[in-house]
Amino acid sequence: MPYGQDNSSEDMTAVAGAVEIVRPECGLHFDVARSLDEVIESWALVYGSYRRKKLIPPNRHRIHTTPYAAGPQAIVFVGRIGPLTVSTMTGIMDSDAQLPLDRVYGEELCAFRRQGRRMMEVSLFADRRENLARSSGSLLQLMRYAWCWGIHQGVTDFVIGVHPRHARFYSRAFGFEPAGPQKSYAAVNDHPVVLLRGEPGVQLVRSPLPRGLQYFVDNPVPPAAFESRYPFPASELCTSPIEAFLSDRHSSPCGDCE
């Protein structure tokens, strides 16, 4: 939902209200993950969030990610209170390896590629706070970082896979539009998913802009903020828990169950 929270329509209404009136959360700082340890901490947070929602099976590494995110085409965004990571989101640029959503929307995404579109998937959202209404400020800020990084990278299309009942929120807040039918998503225990697409070239000419998008435009993240992002060097990944998790997941039919 980027997939990771599965909240009620009432919670999503509260988030929509937070988009309308943005109030910075005291002590919460947003940045990009700059080291392997920070990435692991972020994906450990994803693991805890996804397990609470019963989206994934347990694994001995207690992290969750996707092989598409463990490479130089990815960037991990974090929200921290002091040294503690409390929220995270990952952006994945399209590449020869394709995108996580290709597993369920390969036909739709390949059609965009044939049109010469440059896509970025926003995924792996998690927050220590289970109630999305409480974490709405973090969601907004993480989306701002993802959107600004994509713009700096020349993205023509942002794609996300969300629970169908969240689609209206992403349309109202950020201008996303449906780009594929509802399907079952094996990566999250066959929960329903719908593909949404945001085109900056279309979104930015709307009047008025969706409130979340207006906030991004009024509060841009400068390119320098992304220069120190963790680059996922193969020499570090090959001996990391991330590589061990991905290797176990590849070899285990149940997703590396404990």
Side-chain angles (χ1 to χ4, degrees):
M1 82 141 265
Y3 239 104
Q5 300 277 357
D6 185 16
N7 298 78
S8 68
S9 58
E10 288 81 6
D11 287 335
M12 297 309 292
T13 299
V15 176
V19 170
E20 293 177 10
I21 304 175
V22 179
R23 295 188 178 96
E25 297 181 65
C26 181
L28 194 54
H29 170 70
F30 293 88
D31 201 353
V32 297
R34 301 166 183 263
S35 68
L36 177 61
D37 287 344
E38 291 178 353
V39 171
I40 291 172
E41 183 179 11
S42 295
W43 289 345
L45 184 60
V46 173
Y47 175 80
S49 176
Y50 279 36
R51 285 292 299 141
R52 286 196 302 270
K53 303 300 179 183
K54 297 181 172 58
L55 297 176
I56 57 170
N59 72 73
R60 62 192 176 92
H61 307 287
R62 302 186 67 81
I63 62 173
H64 180 74
T65 187
T66 167
Y68 305 87
Q73 70 277 7
I75 181 169
V76 178
F77 309 103
V78 295
R80 298 191 187 95
I81 296 178
L84 179 67
T85 297
V86 299
S87 58
T88 186
M89 181 180 286
T90 298
I92 307 169
M93 293 293 300
D94 195 17
S95 68
D96 291 342
Q98 300 188 330
L99 295 168
L101 282 169
D102 273 286
R103 289 173 290 179
V104 282
Y105 290 106
E107 182 178 346
E108 291 84 352
L109 297 182
C110 283
F112 297 150
R113 293 185 183 103
R114 288 193 294 270
Q115 297 169 16
R117 313 299 292 181
R118 181 170 172 79
M119 294 182 291
M120 170 182 163
E121 181 173 338
V122 183
S123 65
L124 298 175
F125 170 67
D127 194 286
R128 290 186 183 275
R129 296 156 293 189
E130 295 188 40
N131 188 318
L132 186 57
R134 291 186 58 212
S135 62
S136 57
S138 290
L139 173 61
L140 181 68
Q141 296 295 343
L142 292 168
M143 286 291 290
R144 177 173 72 101
Y145 266 71
W147 191 85
C148 290
W149 188 68
I151 294 298
H152 296 321
Q153 296 297 309
V155 163
T156 63
D157 300 82
F158 294 90
V159 294
I160 56 175
V162 305
H163 194 287
R165 67 169 171 252
H166 299 163
R168 183 169 176 265
F169 160 72
Y170 280 92
S171 177
R172 289 178 56 200
F174 307 117
F176 281 91
E177 298 293 344
Q182 179 178 321
K183 296 187 179 183
S184 176
Y185 200 178
V188 287
N189 279 346
D190 293 319
H191 280 64
V193 65
V194 63
L195 176 67
L196 300 183
R197 174 192 186 194
E199 299 178 74
V202 172
Q203 293 165 300
L204 292 175
V205 298
R206 293 177 178 173
S207 182
L209 289 179
R211 285 189 170 91
L213 198 59
Q214 184 67 63
Y215 180 71
F216 300 164
V217 172
D218 293 342
N219 299 273
V221 181
F226 306 111
E227 291 177 356
S228 58
R229 70 184 179 95
Y230 183 64
F232 293 92
S235 58
E236 286 190 7
L237 289 178
C238 67
T239 58
S240 74
I242 295 171
E243 178 62 29
F245 163 73
L246 293 175
S247 177
D248 284 356
R249 197 178 79 158
H250 178 73
S251 61
S252 172
C254 66
D256 183 25
C257 299
E258 290 179 323

